[in-house]
Amino acid sequence: MEGFDREALVAQAKAAREQAYAPYSGYRVGAALLTRSGLVFTGCNVENAVYPLTTCAERTAVVKAVSEGEREFVALAVVTENGGSPCGSCRQTLREFGDDLLILIVDTQGNIRETTLAALLPDSFSATDLVI
Ligand code: THU
């Protein structure tokens, strides 16, 4: 899965954003996670009246993918109105499955910022640190 269709992945994240359940913040987020096998798992943020129970779009996508047997990821597209960056919790959740993930941070105007998980979460803690 070297080359992939960036525009298609962004389009899927944009479509996922339409499903966002964000009655409290009004901040709608969509994500699309591409697996090494070529599948795409999408996610949106799902808020709750008990605010801390909110699930971010990126973690929705990861949980969907892993629960379907996928653990190798190539790229993640995240769409918000203003091109917001994935939060720390989502970065660490994604880190569990590698740090060479390509991340496309996109706004609703279509501006794309390309980065990697390693750049967003340097010197990270992972399973290799759990030497007991
Ligand atoms: N949110 C995400 O879905 N992903 C992030 O990485 C940052 C924040 C959501 C959570 C909440 O529903 C809303 O954005 C405002 O924090």
Side-chain angles (χ1 to χ4, degrees):
M1 185 52 61
E2 262 314 305
F4 66 95
D5 188 340
R6 282 168 166 64
E7 295 306 321
L9 194 66
V10 168
Q12 287 176 90
K14 266 187 190 154
R17 183 171 175 269
E18 296 300 314
Q19 306 300 330
Y21 177 71
Y24 307 110
S25 73
Y27 192 74
R28 304 165 70 80
V29 187
L33 184 62
L34 175 66
T35 70
R36 193 161 301 284
S37 57
L39 298 173
V40 174
F41 291 83
T42 60
C44 64
N45 52 333
V46 182
E47 297 187 345
N48 192 283
V50 180
Y51 296 174
L53 295 185
T54 292
T55 303
C56 292
E58 299 91 323
R59 282 181 292 126
T60 301
V62 173
V63 168
K64 284 172 67 178
V66 174
S67 63
E68 296 293 331
E70 298 291 331
R71 296 179 183 175
E72 293 184 49
F73 306 120
V74 173
L76 172 78
V78 185
V79 177
T80 59
E81 184 173 3
N82 61 347
S85 192
C87 79
S89 296
C90 290
R91 295 177 194 197
Q92 183 63 36
T93 298
L94 291 161
R95 174 64 187 90
E96 184 65 22
F97 303 100
D99 70 353
D100 60 349
L101 184 72
L102 185 71
I103 298 185
L104 307 175
I105 299 171
V106 187
D107 67 23
T108 48
Q109 304 302 304
N111 298 303
I112 300 178
R113 183 160 75 87
E114 199 167 308
T115 185
T116 64
L117 184 58
L120 292 180
L121 192 67
D123 197 19
S124 61
F125 185 90
S126 68
T128 56
D129 294 301
L130 288 176
V131 181
I132 301 169

